[in-house]
PDB file of all heavy atoms in Angstrom:
ATOM      1  N   THR A 964      -7.311  18.581 -13.403  1.00  0.00           N
ATOM      2  CA  THR A 964      -6.469  17.862 -12.564  1.00  0.00           C
ATOM      3  C   THR A 964      -5.474  18.753 -11.760  1.00  0.00           C
ATOM      4  O   THR A 964      -4.746  18.241 -10.899  1.00  0.00           O
ATOM      5  CB  THR A 964      -5.656  16.831 -13.409  1.00  0.00           C
ATOM      6  OG1 THR A 964      -5.014  17.527 -14.524  1.00  0.00           O
ATOM      7  CG2 THR A 964      -6.536  15.751 -13.973  1.00  0.00           C
ATOM      8  N   GLN A 965      -5.507  20.063 -11.952  1.00  0.00           N
ATOM      9  CA  GLN A 965      -4.689  20.916 -11.089  1.00  0.00           C
ATOM     10  C   GLN A 965      -5.154  20.807  -9.630  1.00  0.00           C
ATOM     11  O   GLN A 965      -4.379  21.060  -8.748  1.00  0.00           O
ATOM     12  CB  GLN A 965      -4.877  22.354 -11.540  1.00  0.00           C
ATOM     13  CG  GLN A 965      -4.049  22.603 -12.869  1.00  0.00           C
ATOM     14  CD  GLN A 965      -4.111  24.084 -13.284  1.00  0.00           C
ATOM     15  OE1 GLN A 965      -4.154  24.955 -12.440  1.00  0.00           O
ATOM     16  NE2 GLN A 965      -4.058  24.324 -14.526  1.00  0.00           N
ATOM     17  N   PHE A 966      -6.438  20.437  -9.457  1.00  0.00           N
ATOM     18  CA  PHE A 966      -6.913  20.213  -8.043  1.00  0.00           C
ATOM     19  C   PHE A 966      -6.084  19.147  -7.346  1.00  0.00           C
ATOM     20  O   PHE A 966      -5.989  19.158  -6.067  1.00  0.00           O
ATOM     21  CB  PHE A 966      -8.384  19.816  -8.077  1.00  0.00           C
ATOM     22  CG  PHE A 966      -9.364  20.957  -8.334  1.00  0.00           C
ATOM     23  CD1 PHE A 966     -10.195  20.865  -9.430  1.00  0.00           C
ATOM     24  CD2 PHE A 966      -9.401  21.991  -7.505  1.00  0.00           C
ATOM     25  CE1 PHE A 966     -11.109  21.851  -9.685  1.00  0.00           C
ATOM     26  CE2 PHE A 966     -10.322  23.050  -7.732  1.00  0.00           C
ATOM     27  CZ  PHE A 966     -11.172  22.998  -8.814  1.00  0.00           C
ATOM     28  N   LEU A 967      -5.574  18.205  -8.093  1.00  0.00           N
ATOM     29  CA  LEU A 967      -4.938  17.028  -7.453  1.00  0.00           C
ATOM     30  C   LEU A 967      -3.752  17.435  -6.645  1.00  0.00           C
ATOM     31  O   LEU A 967      -3.395  16.759  -5.652  1.00  0.00           O
ATOM     32  CB  LEU A 967      -4.557  15.975  -8.541  1.00  0.00           C
ATOM     33  CG  LEU A 967      -5.761  15.362  -9.312  1.00  0.00           C
ATOM     34  CD1 LEU A 967      -5.247  14.346 -10.240  1.00  0.00           C
ATOM     35  CD2 LEU A 967      -6.736  14.807  -8.414  1.00  0.00           C
ATOM     36  N   SER A 968      -3.029  18.484  -7.057  1.00  0.00           N
ATOM     37  CA  SER A 968      -1.824  18.878  -6.360  1.00  0.00           C
ATOM     38  C   SER A 968      -2.156  19.449  -5.000  1.00  0.00           C
ATOM     39  O   SER A 968      -1.289  19.739  -4.191  1.00  0.00           O
ATOM     40  CB  SER A 968      -1.004  19.888  -7.198  1.00  0.00           C
ATOM     41  OG  SER A 968      -1.752  21.052  -7.368  1.00  0.00           O
ATOM     42  N   THR A 969      -3.449  19.757  -4.679  1.00  0.00           N
ATOM     43  CA  THR A 969      -3.854  20.370  -3.434  1.00  0.00           C
ATOM     44  C   THR A 969      -4.272  19.308  -2.400  1.00  0.00           C
ATOM     45  O   THR A 969      -4.531  19.637  -1.272  1.00  0.00           O
ATOM     46  CB  THR A 969      -5.065  21.342  -3.634  1.00  0.00           C
ATOM     47  OG1 THR A 969      -6.206  20.530  -3.933  1.00  0.00           O
ATOM     48  CG2 THR A 969      -4.770  22.276  -4.732  1.00  0.00           C
ATOM     49  N   LEU A 970      -4.305  18.033  -2.862  1.00  0.00           N
ATOM     50  CA  LEU A 970      -4.840  16.937  -1.923  1.00  0.00           C
ATOM     51  C   LEU A 970      -3.742  16.473  -0.933  1.00  0.00           C
ATOM     52  O   LEU A 970      -2.603  16.430  -1.307  1.00  0.00           O
ATOM     53  CB  LEU A 970      -5.277  15.752  -2.790  1.00  0.00           C
ATOM     54  CG  LEU A 970      -6.483  16.001  -3.689  1.00  0.00           C
ATOM     55  CD1 LEU A 970      -6.756  14.683  -4.394  1.00  0.00           C
ATOM     56  CD2 LEU A 970      -7.681  16.562  -2.910  1.00  0.00           C
ATOM     57  N   ASP A 971      -4.172  16.093   0.186  1.00  0.00           N
ATOM     58  CA  ASP A 971      -3.188  15.389   1.125  1.00  0.00           C
ATOM     59  C   ASP A 971      -3.027  13.969   0.636  1.00  0.00           C
ATOM     60  O   ASP A 971      -3.756  13.471  -0.243  1.00  0.00           O
ATOM     61  CB  ASP A 971      -3.704  15.421   2.574  1.00  0.00           C
ATOM     62  CG  ASP A 971      -5.101  14.758   2.735  1.00  0.00           C
ATOM     63  OD1 ASP A 971      -5.413  13.814   2.019  1.00  0.00           O
ATOM     64  OD2 ASP A 971      -5.853  15.207   3.626  1.00  0.00           O
ATOM     65  N   LYS A 972      -2.042  13.280   1.182  1.00  0.00           N
ATOM     66  CA  LYS A 972      -1.681  11.981   0.653  1.00  0.00           C
ATOM     67  C   LYS A 972      -2.816  10.945   0.864  1.00  0.00           C
ATOM     68  O   LYS A 972      -3.017  10.051   0.054  1.00  0.00           O
ATOM     69  CB  LYS A 972      -0.396  11.475   1.292  1.00  0.00           C
ATOM     70  CG  LYS A 972      -0.478  11.116   2.789  1.00  0.00           C
ATOM     71  CD  LYS A 972       0.874  10.598   3.374  1.00  0.00           C
ATOM     72  CE  LYS A 972       0.780  10.188   4.823  1.00  0.00           C
ATOM     73  NZ  LYS A 972       2.038   9.690   5.352  1.00  0.00           N
ATOM     74  N   GLU A 973      -3.593  11.094   1.985  1.00  0.00           N
ATOM     75  CA  GLU A 973      -4.659  10.126   2.247  1.00  0.00           C
ATOM     76  C   GLU A 973      -5.770  10.238   1.163  1.00  0.00           C
ATOM     77  O   GLU A 973      -6.212   9.202   0.700  1.00  0.00           O
ATOM     78  CB  GLU A 973      -5.281  10.392   3.638  1.00  0.00           C
ATOM     79  CG  GLU A 973      -4.430   9.969   4.797  1.00  0.00           C
ATOM     80  CD  GLU A 973      -3.277  10.916   5.105  1.00  0.00           C
ATOM     81  OE1 GLU A 973      -3.361  12.119   4.700  1.00  0.00           O
ATOM     82  OE2 GLU A 973      -2.314  10.575   5.818  1.00  0.00           O
ATOM     83  N   ASN A 974      -6.157  11.468   0.787  1.00  0.00           N
ATOM     84  CA  ASN A 974      -7.170  11.580  -0.224  1.00  0.00           C
ATOM     85  C   ASN A 974      -6.630  11.228  -1.606  1.00  0.00           C
ATOM     86  O   ASN A 974      -7.391  10.721  -2.500  1.00  0.00           O
ATOM     87  CB  ASN A 974      -7.752  12.991  -0.246  1.00  0.00           C
ATOM     88  CG  ASN A 974      -8.789  13.229   0.827  1.00  0.00           C
ATOM     89  OD1 ASN A 974      -9.914  12.693   0.649  1.00  0.00           O
ATOM     90  ND2 ASN A 974      -8.482  13.851   1.883  1.00  0.00           N
ATOM     91  N   THR A 975      -5.395  11.460  -1.894  1.00  0.00           N
ATOM     92  CA  THR A 975      -4.764  10.967  -3.156  1.00  0.00           C
ATOM     93  C   THR A 975      -4.828   9.487  -3.248  1.00  0.00           C
ATOM     94  O   THR A 975      -5.289   8.869  -4.228  1.00  0.00           O
ATOM     95  CB  THR A 975      -3.332  11.473  -3.327  1.00  0.00           C
ATOM     96  OG1 THR A 975      -3.290  12.843  -3.281  1.00  0.00           O
ATOM     97  CG2 THR A 975      -2.688  10.935  -4.602  1.00  0.00           C
ATOM     98  N   ARG A 976      -4.499   8.810  -2.098  1.00  0.00           N
ATOM     99  CA  ARG A 976      -4.496   7.355  -2.149  1.00  0.00           C
ATOM    100  C   ARG A 976      -5.897   6.796  -2.179  1.00  0.00           C
ATOM    101  O   ARG A 976      -6.175   5.795  -2.758  1.00  0.00           O
ATOM    102  CB  ARG A 976      -3.752   6.847  -0.879  1.00  0.00           C
ATOM    103  CG  ARG A 976      -2.222   7.142  -1.014  1.00  0.00           C
ATOM    104  CD  ARG A 976      -1.474   6.718   0.225  1.00  0.00           C
ATOM    105  NE  ARG A 976      -0.061   7.225   0.057  1.00  0.00           N
ATOM    106  CZ  ARG A 976       0.923   6.855   0.846  1.00  0.00           C
ATOM    107  NH1 ARG A 976       0.725   6.027   1.901  1.00  0.00           N
ATOM    108  NH2 ARG A 976       2.137   7.364   0.645  1.00  0.00           N
ATOM    109  N   SER A 977      -6.855   7.518  -1.524  1.00  0.00           N
ATOM    110  CA  SER A 977      -8.236   7.086  -1.566  1.00  0.00           C
ATOM    111  C   SER A 977      -8.734   6.983  -3.009  1.00  0.00           C
ATOM    112  O   SER A 977      -9.331   6.006  -3.405  1.00  0.00           O
ATOM    113  CB  SER A 977      -9.082   8.051  -0.773  1.00  0.00           C
ATOM    114  OG  SER A 977     -10.464   7.582  -0.689  1.00  0.00           O
ATOM    115  N   GLY A 978      -8.473   8.003  -3.813  1.00  0.00           N
ATOM    116  CA  GLY A 978      -8.876   7.949  -5.209  1.00  0.00           C
ATOM    117  C   GLY A 978      -8.117   6.973  -5.982  1.00  0.00           C
ATOM    118  O   GLY A 978      -8.663   6.318  -6.945  1.00  0.00           O
ATOM    119  N   TYR A 979      -6.855   6.828  -5.668  1.00  0.00           N
ATOM    120  CA  TYR A 979      -6.033   5.842  -6.415  1.00  0.00           C
ATOM    121  C   TYR A 979      -6.495   4.462  -6.316  1.00  0.00           C
ATOM    122  O   TYR A 979      -6.350   3.659  -7.220  1.00  0.00           O
ATOM    123  CB  TYR A 979      -4.530   5.996  -5.958  1.00  0.00           C
ATOM    124  CG  TYR A 979      -3.570   5.422  -6.905  1.00  0.00           C
ATOM    125  CD1 TYR A 979      -3.093   6.189  -7.961  1.00  0.00           C
ATOM    126  CD2 TYR A 979      -3.052   4.112  -6.791  1.00  0.00           C
ATOM    127  CE1 TYR A 979      -2.233   5.687  -8.893  1.00  0.00           C
ATOM    128  CE2 TYR A 979      -2.161   3.594  -7.704  1.00  0.00           C
ATOM    129  CZ  TYR A 979      -1.715   4.420  -8.739  1.00  0.00           C
ATOM    130  OH  TYR A 979      -0.802   3.916  -9.662  1.00  0.00           O
ATOM    131  N   ALA A 980      -7.137   4.087  -5.200  1.00  0.00           N
ATOM    132  CA  ALA A 980      -7.657   2.762  -5.016  1.00  0.00           C
ATOM    133  C   ALA A 980      -8.682   2.404  -6.114  1.00  0.00           C
ATOM    134  O   ALA A 980      -8.692   1.331  -6.649  1.00  0.00           O
ATOM    135  CB  ALA A 980      -8.260   2.586  -3.603  1.00  0.00           C
ATOM    136  N   GLU A 981      -9.509   3.362  -6.467  1.00  0.00           N
ATOM    137  CA  GLU A 981     -10.481   3.133  -7.499  1.00  0.00           C
ATOM    138  C   GLU A 981      -9.830   3.013  -8.849  1.00  0.00           C
ATOM    139  O   GLU A 981     -10.254   2.249  -9.696  1.00  0.00           O
ATOM    140  CB  GLU A 981     -11.538   4.306  -7.509  1.00  0.00           C
ATOM    141  CG  GLU A 981     -12.477   4.283  -6.319  1.00  0.00           C
ATOM    142  CD  GLU A 981     -13.490   3.239  -6.391  1.00  0.00           C
ATOM    143  OE1 GLU A 981     -13.661   2.445  -7.383  1.00  0.00           O
ATOM    144  OE2 GLU A 981     -14.369   3.132  -5.436  1.00  0.00           O
ATOM    145  N   MET A 982      -8.695   3.758  -9.061  1.00  0.00           N
ATOM    146  CA  MET A 982      -7.946   3.593 -10.270  1.00  0.00           C
ATOM    147  C   MET A 982      -7.341   2.225 -10.385  1.00  0.00           C
ATOM    148  O   MET A 982      -7.342   1.556 -11.426  1.00  0.00           O
ATOM    149  CB  MET A 982      -6.855   4.684 -10.337  1.00  0.00           C
ATOM    150  CG  MET A 982      -7.358   6.084 -10.510  1.00  0.00           C
ATOM    151  SD  MET A 982      -6.040   7.326 -10.455  1.00  0.00           S
ATOM    152  CE  MET A 982      -5.151   6.936 -11.965  1.00  0.00           C
ATOM    153  N   LEU A 983      -6.817   1.718  -9.244  1.00  0.00           N
ATOM    154  CA  LEU A 983      -6.260   0.372  -9.239  1.00  0.00           C
ATOM    155  C   LEU A 983      -7.344  -0.615  -9.578  1.00  0.00           C
ATOM    156  O   LEU A 983      -7.079  -1.620 -10.305  1.00  0.00           O
ATOM    157  CB  LEU A 983      -5.669   0.059  -7.869  1.00  0.00           C
ATOM    158  CG  LEU A 983      -4.980  -1.283  -7.610  1.00  0.00           C
ATOM    159  CD1 LEU A 983      -3.859  -1.508  -8.632  1.00  0.00           C
ATOM    160  CD2 LEU A 983      -4.442  -1.360  -6.204  1.00  0.00           C
ATOM    161  N   LYS A 984      -8.549  -0.418  -9.040  1.00  0.00           N
ATOM    162  CA  LYS A 984      -9.586  -1.366  -9.394  1.00  0.00           C
ATOM    163  C   LYS A 984      -9.897  -1.316 -10.897  1.00  0.00           C
ATOM    164  O   LYS A 984     -10.125  -2.393 -11.473  1.00  0.00           O
ATOM    165  CB  LYS A 984     -10.918  -0.901  -8.630  1.00  0.00           C
ATOM    166  CG  LYS A 984     -12.154  -1.736  -8.934  1.00  0.00           C
ATOM    167  CD  LYS A 984     -13.404  -0.940  -8.611  1.00  0.00           C
ATOM    168  CE  LYS A 984     -13.661   0.217  -9.570  1.00  0.00           C
ATOM    169  NZ  LYS A 984     -14.925   0.919  -9.226  1.00  0.00           N
ATOM    170  N   HIS A 985      -9.880  -0.122 -11.491  1.00  0.00           N
ATOM    171  CA  HIS A 985     -10.103  -0.043 -12.912  1.00  0.00           C
ATOM    172  C   HIS A 985      -9.097  -0.765 -13.696  1.00  0.00           C
ATOM    173  O   HIS A 985      -9.345  -1.453 -14.709  1.00  0.00           O
ATOM    174  CB  HIS A 985     -10.172   1.466 -13.336  1.00  0.00           C
ATOM    175  CG  HIS A 985     -11.428   2.172 -12.896  1.00  0.00           C
ATOM    176  ND1 HIS A 985     -11.465   3.522 -12.798  1.00  0.00           N
ATOM    177  CD2 HIS A 985     -12.647   1.716 -12.527  1.00  0.00           C
ATOM    178  CE1 HIS A 985     -12.681   3.896 -12.322  1.00  0.00           C
ATOM    179  NE2 HIS A 985     -13.364   2.768 -12.159  1.00  0.00           N
ATOM    180  N   GLY A 986      -7.815  -0.711 -13.221  1.00  0.00           N
ATOM    181  CA  GLY A 986      -6.767  -1.491 -13.922  1.00  0.00           C
ATOM    182  C   GLY A 986      -6.994  -3.011 -13.718  1.00  0.00           C
ATOM    183  O   GLY A 986      -6.794  -3.770 -14.764  1.00  0.00           O
ATOM    184  N   LEU A 987      -7.369  -3.441 -12.615  1.00  0.00           N
ATOM    185  CA  LEU A 987      -7.565  -4.856 -12.445  1.00  0.00           C
ATOM    186  C   LEU A 987      -8.675  -5.452 -13.276  1.00  0.00           C
ATOM    187  O   LEU A 987      -8.672  -6.622 -13.693  1.00  0.00           O
ATOM    188  CB  LEU A 987      -7.906  -5.221 -10.951  1.00  0.00           C
ATOM    189  CG  LEU A 987      -6.702  -5.183  -9.987  1.00  0.00           C
ATOM    190  CD1 LEU A 987      -7.112  -5.000  -8.546  1.00  0.00           C
ATOM    191  CD2 LEU A 987      -5.835  -6.437 -10.200  1.00  0.00           C
ATOM    192  N   ILE A 988      -9.788  -4.654 -13.480  1.00  0.00           N
ATOM    193  CA  ILE A 988     -10.903  -5.113 -14.303  1.00  0.00           C
ATOM    194  C   ILE A 988     -10.729  -4.797 -15.817  1.00  0.00           C
ATOM    195  O   ILE A 988     -11.573  -5.161 -16.607  1.00  0.00           O
ATOM    196  CB  ILE A 988     -12.286  -4.498 -13.808  1.00  0.00           C
ATOM    197  CG1 ILE A 988     -12.330  -3.013 -14.003  1.00  0.00           C
ATOM    198  CG2 ILE A 988     -12.549  -4.901 -12.372  1.00  0.00           C
ATOM    199  CD1 ILE A 988     -13.747  -2.415 -13.718  1.00  0.00           C
ATOM    200  N   SER A 989      -9.562  -4.165 -16.123  1.00  0.00           N
ATOM    201  CA  SER A 989      -9.335  -3.680 -17.484  1.00  0.00           C
ATOM    202  C   SER A 989      -8.311  -4.574 -18.222  1.00  0.00           C
ATOM    203  O   SER A 989      -8.613  -5.536 -18.888  1.00  0.00           O
ATOM    204  CB  SER A 989      -8.942  -2.259 -17.569  1.00  0.00           C
ATOM    205  OG  SER A 989      -8.804  -1.857 -18.877  1.00  0.00           O
ATOM    206  N   ASP A 990      -6.993  -4.270 -18.008  1.00  0.00           N
ATOM    207  CA  ASP A 990      -5.983  -5.007 -18.700  1.00  0.00           C
ATOM    208  C   ASP A 990      -4.687  -4.913 -17.952  1.00  0.00           C
ATOM    209  O   ASP A 990      -4.464  -4.114 -17.146  1.00  0.00           O
ATOM    210  CB  ASP A 990      -5.812  -4.551 -20.183  1.00  0.00           C
ATOM    211  CG  ASP A 990      -5.341  -3.097 -20.282  1.00  0.00           C
ATOM    212  OD1 ASP A 990      -4.108  -2.834 -19.833  1.00  0.00           O
ATOM    213  OD2 ASP A 990      -6.058  -2.243 -20.727  1.00  0.00           O
ATOM    214  N   GLU A 991      -3.750  -5.860 -18.338  1.00  0.00           N
ATOM    215  CA  GLU A 991      -2.486  -6.045 -17.577  1.00  0.00           C
ATOM    216  C   GLU A 991      -1.569  -4.843 -17.708  1.00  0.00           C
ATOM    217  O   GLU A 991      -0.871  -4.499 -16.763  1.00  0.00           O
ATOM    218  CB  GLU A 991      -1.835  -7.333 -18.071  1.00  0.00           C
ATOM    219  CG  GLU A 991      -0.696  -7.707 -17.143  1.00  0.00           C
ATOM    220  CD  GLU A 991      -0.391  -9.241 -17.201  1.00  0.00           C
ATOM    221  OE1 GLU A 991      -1.289  -9.984 -17.585  1.00  0.00           O
ATOM    222  OE2 GLU A 991       0.725  -9.605 -16.800  1.00  0.00           O
ATOM    223  N   LYS A 992      -1.555  -4.241 -18.902  1.00  0.00           N
ATOM    224  CA  LYS A 992      -0.701  -3.086 -19.078  1.00  0.00           C
ATOM    225  C   LYS A 992      -1.038  -1.986 -18.140  1.00  0.00           C
ATOM    226  O   LYS A 992      -0.219  -1.305 -17.494  1.00  0.00           O
ATOM    227  CB  LYS A 992      -0.784  -2.570 -20.538  1.00  0.00           C
ATOM    228  CG  LYS A 992       0.093  -1.378 -20.836  1.00  0.00           C
ATOM    229  CD  LYS A 992      -0.108  -0.875 -22.221  1.00  0.00           C
ATOM    230  CE  LYS A 992       0.621   0.455 -22.445  1.00  0.00           C
ATOM    231  NZ  LYS A 992       0.308   1.096 -23.767  1.00  0.00           N
ATOM    232  N   MET A 993      -2.316  -1.681 -17.973  1.00  0.00           N
ATOM    233  CA  MET A 993      -2.793  -0.627 -17.091  1.00  0.00           C
ATOM    234  C   MET A 993      -2.474  -1.000 -15.651  1.00  0.00           C
ATOM    235  O   MET A 993      -2.019  -0.143 -14.879  1.00  0.00           O
ATOM    236  CB  MET A 993      -4.318  -0.438 -17.248  1.00  0.00           C
ATOM    237  CG  MET A 993      -4.878   0.755 -16.538  1.00  0.00           C
ATOM    238  SD  MET A 993      -6.608   0.920 -17.004  1.00  0.00           S
ATOM    239  CE  MET A 993      -7.027   2.405 -16.027  1.00  0.00           C
ATOM    240  N   TRP A 994      -2.700  -2.287 -15.283  1.00  0.00           N
ATOM    241  CA  TRP A 994      -2.485  -2.744 -13.913  1.00  0.00           C
ATOM    242  C   TRP A 994      -0.987  -2.581 -13.570  1.00  0.00           C
ATOM    243  O   TRP A 994      -0.649  -2.111 -12.475  1.00  0.00           O
ATOM    244  CB  TRP A 994      -2.831  -4.209 -13.786  1.00  0.00           C
ATOM    245  CG  TRP A 994      -2.436  -4.921 -12.526  1.00  0.00           C
ATOM    246  CD1 TRP A 994      -2.946  -4.773 -11.291  1.00  0.00           C
ATOM    247  CD2 TRP A 994      -1.383  -5.900 -12.433  1.00  0.00           C
ATOM    248  NE1 TRP A 994      -2.257  -5.572 -10.365  1.00  0.00           N
ATOM    249  CE2 TRP A 994      -1.309  -6.312 -11.065  1.00  0.00           C
ATOM    250  CE3 TRP A 994      -0.540  -6.494 -13.352  1.00  0.00           C
ATOM    251  CZ2 TRP A 994      -0.382  -7.242 -10.664  1.00  0.00           C
ATOM    252  CZ3 TRP A 994       0.431  -7.426 -12.896  1.00  0.00           C
ATOM    253  CH2 TRP A 994       0.459  -7.802 -11.523  1.00  0.00           C
ATOM    254  N   LYS A 995      -0.086  -2.935 -14.489  1.00  0.00           N
ATOM    255  CA  LYS A 995       1.383  -2.880 -14.261  1.00  0.00           C
ATOM    256  C   LYS A 995       1.815  -1.498 -14.021  1.00  0.00           C
ATOM    257  O   LYS A 995       2.628  -1.186 -13.083  1.00  0.00           O
ATOM    258  CB  LYS A 995       2.120  -3.476 -15.402  1.00  0.00           C
ATOM    259  CG  LYS A 995       2.141  -5.000 -15.423  1.00  0.00           C
ATOM    260  CD  LYS A 995       2.981  -5.548 -16.551  1.00  0.00           C
ATOM    261  CE  LYS A 995       3.064  -7.114 -16.526  1.00  0.00           C
ATOM    262  NZ  LYS A 995       3.817  -7.675 -17.670  1.00  0.00           N
ATOM    263  N   GLU A 996       1.242  -0.495 -14.798  1.00  0.00           N
ATOM    264  CA  GLU A 996       1.627   0.903 -14.574  1.00  0.00           C
ATOM    265  C   GLU A 996       1.143   1.407 -13.198  1.00  0.00           C
ATOM    266  O   GLU A 996       1.868   2.088 -12.487  1.00  0.00           O
ATOM    267  CB  GLU A 996       1.037   1.804 -15.673  1.00  0.00           C
ATOM    268  CG  GLU A 996       1.423   3.257 -15.489  1.00  0.00           C
ATOM    269  CD  GLU A 996       1.001   4.145 -16.634  1.00  0.00           C
ATOM    270  OE1 GLU A 996       0.012   3.826 -17.309  1.00  0.00           O
ATOM    271  OE2 GLU A 996       1.618   5.172 -16.865  1.00  0.00           O
ATOM    272  N   LEU A 997      -0.038   0.950 -12.795  1.00  0.00           N
ATOM    273  CA  LEU A 997      -0.625   1.377 -11.576  1.00  0.00           C
ATOM    274  C   LEU A 997       0.156   0.916 -10.341  1.00  0.00           C
ATOM    275  O   LEU A 997       0.403   1.606  -9.408  1.00  0.00           O
ATOM    276  CB  LEU A 997      -2.078   0.957 -11.451  1.00  0.00           C
ATOM    277  CG  LEU A 997      -3.058   1.721 -12.369  1.00  0.00           C
ATOM    278  CD1 LEU A 997      -4.361   0.939 -12.606  1.00  0.00           C
ATOM    279  CD2 LEU A 997      -3.414   3.107 -11.643  1.00  0.00           C
ATOM    280  N   ILE A 998       0.576  -0.354 -10.413  1.00  0.00           N
ATOM    281  CA  ILE A 998       1.294  -0.910  -9.264  1.00  0.00           C
ATOM    282  C   ILE A 998       2.765  -0.490  -9.189  1.00  0.00           C
ATOM    283  O   ILE A 998       3.492  -0.822  -8.193  1.00  0.00           O
ATOM    284  CB  ILE A 998       1.175  -2.439  -9.124  1.00  0.00           C
ATOM    285  CG1 ILE A 998       1.761  -3.155 -10.343  1.00  0.00           C
ATOM    286  CG2 ILE A 998      -0.250  -2.850  -8.887  1.00  0.00           C
ATOM    287  CD1 ILE A 998       1.934  -4.617 -10.061  1.00  0.00           C
ATOM    288  N   SER A 999       3.280   0.107 -10.288  1.00  0.00           N
ATOM    289  CA  SER A 999       4.669   0.600 -10.250  1.00  0.00           C
ATOM    290  C   SER A 999       4.711   2.114 -10.058  1.00  0.00           C
ATOM    291  O   SER A 999       5.812   2.698  -9.999  1.00  0.00           O
ATOM    292  CB  SER A 999       5.387   0.205 -11.548  1.00  0.00           C
ATOM    293  OG  SER A 999       4.678   0.845 -12.677  1.00  0.00           O
ATOM    294  N   PHE A1000       3.571   2.789  -9.948  1.00  0.00           N
ATOM    295  CA  PHE A1000       3.516   4.270  -9.788  1.00  0.00           C
ATOM    296  C   PHE A1000       3.863   4.558  -8.288  1.00  0.00           C
ATOM    297  O   PHE A1000       3.451   3.879  -7.410  1.00  0.00           O
ATOM    298  CB  PHE A1000       2.151   4.771 -10.150  1.00  0.00           C
ATOM    299  CG  PHE A1000       1.959   6.276 -10.065  1.00  0.00           C
ATOM    300  CD1 PHE A1000       2.459   7.029 -11.069  1.00  0.00           C
ATOM    301  CD2 PHE A1000       1.279   6.888  -8.995  1.00  0.00           C
ATOM    302  CE1 PHE A1000       2.282   8.466 -11.048  1.00  0.00           C
ATOM    303  CE2 PHE A1000       1.167   8.283  -8.946  1.00  0.00           C
ATOM    304  CZ  PHE A1000       1.664   9.046  -9.974  1.00  0.00           C
ATOM    305  N   SER A1001       4.614   5.644  -8.129  1.00  0.00           N
ATOM    306  CA  SER A1001       5.076   6.050  -6.791  1.00  0.00           C
ATOM    307  C   SER A1001       3.990   7.019  -6.169  1.00  0.00           C
ATOM    308  O   SER A1001       3.788   8.136  -6.636  1.00  0.00           O
ATOM    309  CB  SER A1001       6.406   6.771  -6.778  1.00  0.00           C
ATOM    310  OG  SER A1001       6.664   7.261  -5.478  1.00  0.00           O
TER     311      SER A1001
END
């Protein structure tokens, strides 16, 4: 995950969308953390 600090904001957000999807299909605790992350 050290690679992540080298990404521009667009590519960080691009990957984050799939994480948000995983939260929505998984559980509410995960979803809440994802939508409150800066």
